[in-house]
Amino acid sequence: MDRSTRHLVEFTLDSRGANLDVRVVHECKRRLIDSIGCAIGAFNDQLCVTLRKMARDYPQPARRNAMGNGRQDFARNGRLL
């Protein structure tokens, strides 16, 4: 890990919501909500459906339920769900 990355990681780990400017917290919340909205919006897109089908063809341990869809999938593929 280079020096810049280490500095960012340490800053992030040491940060607390109470110590951050209210505008920073607001922007973080906006981006988190935007990311969740994008994931939900793309869930039924043909590319995402195809990727989920492809991911199920590879044997992996530890199936999990994700996004409340009731289907069990592999933990490693969580970002594809």
Side-chain angles (χ1 to χ4, degrees), residues 31-79:
R31 278 153 180 78
L32 178 63
I33 291 168
D34 181 61
S35 295
I36 292 169
C38 289
I40 292 170
F43 187 78
N44 288 321
D45 182 77
Q46 186 58 45
L47 176 61
C48 295
V49 171
T50 302
L51 286 171
R52 284 195 302 274
K53 286 178 183 176
M54 288 174 54
R56 286 189 199 108
D57 291 340
Y58 295 93
Q60 299 177 40
R63 288 180 170 265
R64 302 285 186 263
N65 184 10
M67 296 207 36
N69 64 5
R71 286 182 261 168
Q72 296 282 309
D73 261 297
F74 300 111
R76 290 183 196 163
N77 296 334
R79 64 190 166 276

Side-chain angles (χ1 to χ4, degrees), residues 14-43:
D14 292 339
S15 295
R16 300 288 175 258
N19 299 341
L20 297 173
D21 186 278
V22 68
R23 293 172 296 181
V24 171
V25 174
H26 175 76
E27 291 302 318
C28 288
K29 288 178 181 180
R30 284 185 64 214
R31 278 153 180 78
L32 178 63
I33 291 168
D34 181 61
S35 295
I36 292 169
C38 289
I40 292 170
F43 187 78

